[in-house]
């Protein structure tokens, strides 16, 4: 069942991407845990599909309608989504978008979002409730009845300091908001701090500039598996993924990052993204839909790139700890005896020697094996189970051996 055409999509809304009935890089990571884990969080699960459909129905994107039709065709009797769960998910998504915008598109942060007015911003002695305003009105000889908005207006009209009336300040803030998404003050300060930390580290800031954020790539993989990937940041010579991490066990920093790669299967993600980006570089995919001149120039530059695109991961520690690190993923390793021959050779000659002798790195080899396994699991389970049917294990009963 088709959704959107294969290709490169700029500015695809997040809700549309997540609802696309295609195997994603994160989907492969879940499938490697178990096919049932993948199924539960995918469009194949009627409950999850209902939540995805609800977000699409609320979307103003032209792409949303096409994907919504596909979900409805898969699940004709789709259950109603849980309103409370959907609301919590939306709050989390908005907060995540704000953090992502600050890190990847800082120039757009205050265009899309605004710091919410907080009661702690008000001066000492401010009035917040109808009871408090009623008492103040009574002292001024004014009637205290009516809604809180009416009470607030009456207070100011009677000469009370408007700067100390919460509802007046809130109404003024609402006018200035101008449609932007409010972010609670406690998170806003952290978001701004994140942004300043990245921009004050030139080597890392360079990995998140002169490119495009949130680029969606759709393609058809081997044996017809429909695939999708969404890159945090795409540049003309590589791509960057941004990760946050916590270190509650107090591990050595390098060990903490190494464990994150292993247990979160970031190597699978890196290799999956590389597959998608290589299709762009080799001209197998084209831009779909609208794109700016700058975006088209980026893809044209990638078409002209001679070598495999670089993959970088940027890690930022949570909790206000200013650990900000970047790690490049080497897809191929060059033997030491080859690098010893670099002396006196031009840059082009060095690159040619490196390409001729390079072999896949161990992590890249392992990632490609796991990706093939994830695709095979997806294909096999898709053929056995219909949409809506739970993906149960093929071998639920077996022996536990020494192996």
């Amino acid at each position: 069942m088709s959704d959107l055409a294969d290709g490169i999509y700029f500015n695809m809304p997040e809700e549309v991407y997540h609802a696309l009935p295609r195997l994603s890089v994160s989907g492969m990571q879940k499938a490697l845990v178990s096919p049932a884990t993948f199924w539960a969080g995918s469009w194949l699960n009627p409950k999850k599909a209902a939540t995805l459909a609800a977000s699409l129905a609320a979307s103003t994107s032209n792409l949303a309608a096409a994907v919504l039709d596909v979900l409805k065709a898969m699940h004709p009797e789709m259950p109603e989504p849980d309103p409370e769960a959907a609301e919590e998910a939306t709050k989390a998504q908005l907060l995540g978008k704000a953090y992502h915008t600050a890190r990847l598109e800082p120039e757009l942060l205050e265009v899309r979002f605004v710091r919410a007015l907080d009661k702690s911003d008000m001066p000492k002695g401010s009035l917040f409730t109808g009871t408090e305003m009623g008492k103040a009105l009574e002292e001024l000889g004014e009637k205290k009845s009516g809604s809180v908005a009416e009470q607030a207006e009456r207070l100011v009209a009677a000469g009370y300091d408007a700067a100390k009336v919460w509802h007046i300040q809130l109404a003024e803030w609402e006018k200035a908001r101008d449609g932007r998404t409010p972010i609670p003050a406690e998170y806003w300060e952290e978001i701004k701090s994140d942004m300043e930390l990245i921009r004050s580290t030139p080597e890392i800031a360079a990995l998140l500039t002169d490119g495009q954020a949130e680029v969606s790539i759709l393609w058809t993989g081997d044996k017809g598996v429909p695939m999708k990937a969404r890159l945090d940041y795409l540049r003309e010579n590589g791509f960057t993924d941004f990760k946050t991490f916590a270190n509650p066990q107090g591990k050595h920093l390098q060990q903490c990052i190494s464990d994150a790669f292993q247990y979160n299967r970031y190597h699978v993600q890196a290799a999956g993204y590389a597959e998608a980006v290589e299709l762009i570089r080799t001209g197998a995919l084209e831009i779909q839909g609208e794109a700016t001149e700058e975006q088209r120039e980026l893809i044209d530059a990638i078409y002209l790139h001679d070598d495999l695109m670089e993959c970088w991961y940027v890690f930022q520690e949570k909790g206000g700890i200013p650990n900000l690190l970047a790690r490049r993923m080497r897809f191929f390793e060059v033997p030491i005896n080859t690098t010893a021959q670099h002396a006196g050779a031009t840059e082009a000659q060095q690159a040619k020697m490196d390409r001729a002798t390079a072999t896949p790195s161990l992590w890249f080899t392992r990632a490609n094996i796991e990706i093939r396994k994830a695709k095979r699991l997806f294909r096999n389970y898709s053929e056995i189970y219909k949409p809506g049917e739970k993906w149960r294990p093929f071998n639920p009963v077996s022996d536990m051996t020494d192996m």
Side-chain angles (χ1 to χ4, degrees):
M1 190 173 292
S2 62
D3 41 54
L4 303 180
D6 287 355
I8 309 156
Y9 290 80
F10 291 102
N11 307 314
M12 177 185 282
E14 191 177 355
E15 65 273 10
V16 173
Y17 174 80
H18 288 306
L20 287 167
R22 289 171 173 257
L23 181 61
S24 65
V25 170
S26 61
M28 289 193 289
Q29 290 169 307
K30 290 176 183 177
L32 290 166
V33 176
S34 81
T37 304
F38 165 77
W39 177 88
S42 79
W43 71 92
L44 295 165
N45 178 356
K47 288 185 178 179
K48 179 64 176 178
T51 302
L52 294 171
S55 65
L56 289 173
S59 175
T60 57
S61 167
N62 294 331
L63 300 175
V67 182
L68 182 58
D69 288 343
V70 173
L71 289 181
K72 286 180 176 178
M74 283 183 172
H75 303 285
E77 298 180 2
M78 198 181 296
E80 289 296 320
D82 178 357
E84 289 186 11
E87 186 179 349
E88 286 305 309
T90 301
K91 287 179 183 177
Q93 286 169 2
L94 287 174
L95 194 57
K97 283 181 182 178
Y99 274 101
H100 234 51
T101 301
R103 291 162 180 158
L104 306 176
E105 302 173 285
E107 70 281 0
L108 296 178
L109 178 65
E110 296 193 32
V111 174
R112 296 172 179 170
F113 302 94
V114 65
R115 180 186 184 277
L117 185 66
D118 194 79
K119 289 185 177 179
S120 64
D121 299 329
M122 299 292 288
K124 190 175 180 179
S126 292
L127 307 178
F128 297 99
T129 67
T131 302
E132 290 171 341
M133 286 190 286
K135 185 178 179 182
L137 283 165
E138 201 170 30
E139 289 172 357
L140 291 169
E142 300 285 336
K143 65 174 185 176
K144 61 180 184 178
S145 59
S147 66
V148 288
E150 290 170 341
Q151 287 178 314
E153 293 289 350
R154 201 178 306 126
L155 265 175
V156 174
Y160 200 89
D161 185 359
K164 290 188 174 184
V165 182
W166 168 253
H167 292 83
I168 295 295
Q169 295 307 306
L170 190 61
E172 289 182 4
W173 173 86
E174 188 63 45
K175 288 178 186 175
R177 180 165 79 93
D178 195 27
R180 292 176 291 172
T181 302
I183 299 296
E186 58 182 307
Y187 297 114
W188 183 260
E189 305 310 326
E190 189 175 289
I191 288 169
K192 295 282 281 188
S193 177
D194 273 5
M195 187 168 69
E196 288 162 14
L197 178 62
I198 293 166
R199 299 300 142 183
S200 65
T201 313
E203 303 91 336
I204 291 179
L207 299 173
L208 298 167
T209 52
D210 297 326
Q212 293 290 322
E214 305 288 5
V215 181
S216 299
I217 307 168
L218 310 185
W219 77 101
T220 301
D222 47 332
K223 298 191 178 178
V225 175
M227 302 291 299
K228 65 179 179 180
R230 190 172 174 91
L231 305 177
D232 278 356
Y233 206 81
L234 178 64
R235 293 170 290 108
E236 67 175 69
N237 67 339
F239 55 97
T240 305
D241 199 76
F242 199 103
K243 300 292 184 190
T244 56
F245 69 97
N247 190 10
Q249 290 86 17
K251 299 177 186 176
H252 185 279
L253 189 59
Q254 183 58 42
Q255 186 63 53
C256 185
I257 291 176
S258 296
D259 287 349
F261 264 97
Q262 180 176 349
Y263 297 115
N264 296 320
R265 292 184 172 85
Y266 290 159
H267 62 293
V268 172
Q269 182 187 56
Y273 285 164
E275 178 183 340
V277 173
E278 186 65 2
L279 290 171
I280 298 177
R281 190 185 71 82
T282 56
L285 296 175
E286 297 179 349
I287 295 172
Q288 298 287 342
E290 295 181 1
T292 64
E293 188 62 32
E294 191 177 42
Q295 290 165 343
R296 293 186 184 280
E297 286 175 359
L298 172 64
I299 299 303
D300 287 342
I302 292 173
Y303 288 157
L304 298 173
H305 196 68
D306 290 330
D307 215 343
L308 197 65
M309 302 276 279
E310 289 185 350
C311 169
W312 285 88
Y313 275 79
V314 173
F315 291 91
Q316 183 173 18
E317 189 165 355
K318 297 177 182 178
I321 300 171
N323 274 325
L324 183 68
L325 306 160
R327 294 290 182 266
R328 180 169 60 175
M329 302 292 288
R330 289 191 176 275
F331 296 105
F332 293 89
E333 297 289 352
V334 178
I336 294 175
N337 61 345
T338 299
T339 57
Q341 299 171 31
H342 282 176
T346 65
E347 217 173 283
Q349 289 170 332
Q350 290 177 20
K352 187 176 180 180
M353 280 191 286
D354 290 351
R355 280 196 295 270
T357 58
T359 56
S361 60
L362 291 177
W363 77 262
F364 190 42
T365 300
R366 176 183 170 188
N368 282 314
I369 291 170
E370 293 188 9
I371 284 173
R372 286 195 293 272
K373 179 182 177 182
K375 289 180 180 178
R376 185 172 65 252
L377 286 170
F378 174 81
R379 199 168 54 245
N380 291 344
Y381 276 74
S382 295
E383 290 170 356
I384 290 170
Y385 295 106
K386 297 176 183 177
E389 289 184 335
K390 294 179 180 178
W391 282 16
R392 302 174 187 275
F394 287 162
N395 55 342
V397 179
S398 62
D399 294 327
M400 199 66 150
T401 66
D402 288 344
M403 183 63 73

